[in-house]
Each structure stands twice: as structure tokens, then as C-alpha cells.
Amino acid sequence: MYSIGYDIGSSSIKAALVDTATGKSVAVLTEPKTEMGMKALKNGWAEQHPDEWWKHVCNATKRLLKENNIDPQNITGIGISYQMHGLVVVDKEGIPLRDSIIWCDSRAVGIGQRAFEELGEEKCTAQLLNSPSNFTASKLKWVKENEPEIYAKIYKFMLPGDYVAYKLGNTICSTTSGLSEGIFWDFSKNSIADWLLDHYGIDKSLVPEIKGTFAVQGLVSAQGAAASGLAEGTPILYRAGDQPNNALSLNVFNPGEVASTGGTSGVIYAVTDNLSVKESARVNNFAHVNYNAKKARIGKLLCINGAGIQYRWLKDNLNVGSYEEMNELAGSVQIGSNGVTILPFGNGAERMLNNKELGTHIGNVNLNNHSKAHLCRAALEGIAFSFVYG
């Protein structure tokens, strides 16, 4: 018997087949073969259509089953990890009303900052453990302010993983961990932050039903089965944002344990049981996967938006064939890149820099002495620097 895990990333969809009895990975594959793009109609914006994720989930699932000769009836459960802070809005038919405003989109920074000031820093940090900042709630407020005709049609909002689970099981729901990452959760009351919704003028009926992070969150429907190749009735048993999930995969559950991971963005994620927040304007604080009202487990998340995406940008624009070739070029240059510097802050507002959008800066290039090898090394050193600085 087997389980399937999905990772709904902003670059690709990954699907893993796992032996349920041993926990060992049987196969992992990625869809599509080339990285997914982001729509940026304006500087600082980033959107993807939710059905693009779903299409690649279905393609990955069919490949996983076929290439490993697996009977869909032998899949005992599904887990979903997903890119955090995205906003998906659907109508009563469950159809997306617009592209998803994803995690690195900065359009709602001003909305969140105004709310932080108007509601009060003390209240926000004590009850939300964060500034409303540029998170999902503020993005929903942006839709309300700027696209009222779309907002009027919204039946429910969802996070990216919620939408994939909905397409699989035809059930709209979310989790405490997920809602906390969207800044919809009041930790002092252990319930939805009605006062923030009231401040934003958002109807509480738009909030999805809440299920446990580890729970039967739905069953694959007839439509989900037909599209994905899974068996109808397969249970969806787990869902979490990619960074809490990364910590889970590294066995980081308890206060004092820390995970560091790199992908499109770079993240340091530390678990605490302390609800006191002093640096909330620059570090995120969310309910970890094992959070509950009696045993607080908070993930303190430092995010550097421009990690892997910076390296990809260089690969695409330096006419380098692969990341391996870039690493070889970087390795041919001494530490310090002979003075060349690249600061990787070109992928939206950076929380650790108080939500500033600085852009990526390339400096100290000497046109006589420096080559793309120096740029490759400087990029990696800049990413490492941003981790240390954060």
C-alpha cells in the first residue's frame, strides 16, 4: 500500500509515492518539465492561475501511477504541501474568479501596514503574532478595494493547498495552521480574528470550514478521480504550508529546534512555545503543524524571497546551460568573488527589511576582470549573506 504527497510550488508541482508501511520514498517526479511562470502585470505583482497547479497535479499523478505500475486502489491517503500566503477566490460553483495572488506578490503591503498602525501594534502582535502585512487577508482586502465586482461574487477564499484539496475532493476547507499563515487567526482567543475581518470589511462567511492538519479533510470525489487517475474515496489526510511541512519532514516539532531550507525563497524556521512576539514586523509567526490550544507550537519563519529565483534568473540571462555548470563556474572563483556583490532582494517586499522592495543589486563589476563566473559565485554568496543577516 502507498501514500502520495504533493508539493504545490510556484516553480513546479512535485509528487511523491511513498511505501506506507516503511515510509520509504518509491518515486518522485516533477511537472511540468520546464518551470512554471508567474504573471507580473506590474512591478511587485505575482500571479498564477490555480487550475495550472491542478493540471500539473493530475499529470503528475497519472505518471506516478503508470510509471510505477500502481493500482489506484492501493493508495491509502494523500498529503499536500503548498506555497504559502497565496489567495484563491472562487464563486458558488467553485470556479476561480481571478488568478491567484501568490506569496511573493507585494501589492497589499500598504494595506497591511495601515491596518497594523490603525489596529495597533500591541494588539496585532499579542493576538495575531504578526503585522497583517502582505499576507492573504490583506490581499483579500486589496481585491475588495480594487476589484469590487469580483469581490461581490466570492463564495469562499482559499490558500493554494486548499484549492488543490478542493479539486480532489470537492470539499472547501482549510486548517488552523493555514489560516494563521494568512493572518486570519487570533491566538489569544484560538479562533478566527473577527476584529481583523471587521476592520477590512470582509464577511466571515467567506472563511472556509476548518479541519485538523492531520485529519480526514475530504475524500477524492468522482470528478477528482476522473481528472487525476486516483480512486474515488481516497482520503486526504494532511495539509500544510511548505515551510511548516519542510520542518515536519526534518523532524522539527519542539521548542528550540530549527530547520533551514532553500527553494525559490530561502527560509529559516524555528519552533517555540512562546506567544510573546517582539520582532513581528520582520519575522513571521504561524501555528506549526502540531499546534493546538493546549500546547502552543509556533513556527518563527524568516523568509528571503530571492534565493533560488535569483539563481534561476542568472541561469536564464547568462546563457548558462544548467545549475551544475553555474556551480562549476562559481567554484572556479575565489571566496569573495573578487569584490563582485549581488544582493538577492528582487522578488517582492522583504519582511526582514520591514517590507521594503529594494530590488536585486549587482555591484562592483569590473568590465576588464570579471566574468559570469564571478556573477555566479556572487549570487550564491549574496544568498548566504541574506541568511546570515536575517
Side-chain angles (χ1 to χ4, degrees):
M1 308 302 278
Y2 303 92
S3 303
I4 289 182
Y6 298 109
D7 175 39
I8 314 303
S10 46
S11 299
S12 64
I13 306 300
K14 297 182 182 68
L17 184 68
V18 178
D19 185 295
T20 304
T22 65
K24 291 184 177 180
S25 175
V26 176
V28 180
L29 53 81
T30 299
E31 285 283 342
K33 290 183 171 59
T34 57
E35 294 180 0
M36 290 188 293
M38 299 179 192
K39 299 177 186 176
L41 300 179
K42 295 183 180 181
N43 284 344
W45 289 23
E47 300 181 356
Q48 291 178 323
H49 198 284
D51 284 337
E52 184 176 8
W53 309 329
W54 174 235
K55 175 181 71 175
H56 297 312
V57 164
C58 292
N59 290 341
T61 306
K62 290 173 182 175
R63 278 186 56 203
L64 204 59
L65 296 173
K66 181 179 180 181
E67 292 175 11
N68 294 280
N69 195 28
I70 302 296
D71 184 338
Q73 296 291 342
N74 289 334
I75 304 298
T76 61
I78 295 165
I80 300 171
S81 165
Y82 59 89
Q83 51 171 298
M84 299 169 71
H85 317 308
L87 173 68
V88 179
V89 290
V90 299
D91 63 16
K92 289 184 177 179
E93 304 302 317
I95 298 172
L97 291 163
R98 67 175 330 282
D99 288 345
S100 172
I101 303 174
I102 66 171
W103 61 278
C104 55
D105 187 296
S106 303
R107 74 186 70 184
V109 167
I111 290 172
Q113 184 59 35
R114 286 194 300 274
F116 194 43
E117 295 167 358
E118 291 166 2
L119 292 167
E121 181 176 343
E122 184 176 343
K123 182 170 185 175
C124 289
T125 56
Q127 295 178 237
L128 302 175
L129 307 189
N130 294 282
S131 162
S133 189
N134 189 44
F135 295 118
T136 312
S138 299
K139 291 169 180 172
L140 183 56
K141 171 66 169 173
W142 185 92
V143 174
K144 186 175 189 292
E145 286 186 354
N146 294 276
E147 299 174 342
E149 71 288 350
I150 288 177
Y151 182 84
K153 298 176 183 177
I154 297 175
Y155 171 62
K156 296 289 181 184
F157 71 81
M158 288 181 266
L159 297 157
D162 302 336
Y163 183 74
V164 170
Y166 158 69
K167 293 294 286 186
L168 284 167
N170 203 33
T171 299
I172 296 178
C173 61
S174 191
T175 65
T176 297
S177 180
L179 292 169
S180 79
E181 78 179 57
I183 316 301
F184 293 101
W185 196 255
D186 186 325
F187 286 89
S188 68
K189 299 178 180 177
N190 210 46
S191 63
I192 294 295
D194 294 342
W195 51 275
L196 178 64
L197 296 183
D198 291 342
H199 182 80
Y200 277 165
I202 294 170
D203 192 324
K204 190 178 177 181
S205 68
L206 302 187
V207 178
E209 180 185 1
I210 301 172
K211 297 286 184 76
T213 299
F214 300 92
V216 178
Q217 301 171 351
L219 305 175
V220 173
S221 66
Q223 301 96 313
S228 67
L230 292 165
E232 185 176 353
T234 305
I236 302 164
L237 300 173
Y238 165 79
R239 188 182 327 169
D242 52 12
Q243 299 309 326
N245 182 76
N246 287 345
L248 175 148
S249 71
L250 295 170
N251 203 32
V252 170
F253 289 101
N254 302 309
E257 297 175 346
V258 181
S260 182
T261 57
T264 301
S265 63
V267 168
I268 296 173
Y269 188 100
V271 176
T272 179
D273 57 1
N274 191 341
L275 295 180
S276 174
V277 176
K278 295 180 180 178
E279 67 295 277
S280 66
R282 301 178 71 182
V283 177
N284 309 330
N285 300 273
F286 309 125
H288 192 31
V289 294
N290 57 342
Y291 170 89
N292 61 60
K294 296 180 180 179
K295 187 180 73 173
R297 291 293 182 268
I298 304 299
K300 301 182 80 68
L301 190 158
L302 169 79
C303 182
I304 299 100
N305 290 349
I309 193 172
Q310 177 188 248
Y311 215 42
R312 183 181 76 185
W313 184 91
L314 273 178
K315 179 173 72 69
D316 293 344
N317 287 279
L318 292 178
N319 195 28
V320 180
S322 66
Y323 293 120
E324 289 75 14
E325 184 181 344
M326 291 179 72
N327 293 341
E328 289 176 5
L329 287 167
S332 71
V333 175
Q334 289 186 341
I335 293 171
S337 306
N338 196 23
V340 178
T341 59
I342 301 181
L343 299 179
F345 301 130
N347 192 31
E350 298 280 357
R351 280 296 299 281
M352 73 174 188
L353 302 178
N354 287 319
N355 287 322
K356 292 177 182 175
E357 291 187 67
L358 298 183
T360 290
H361 290 248
I362 302 175
N364 304 326
V365 175
N366 184 299
L367 302 179
N368 296 305
N369 298 327
H370 295 140
S371 67
K372 59 185 176 183
H374 293 88
L375 292 174
C376 290
R377 182 166 195 109
L380 293 176
E381 291 181 339
I383 293 166
F385 162 77
S386 65
F387 270 93
V388 173
Y389 182 83

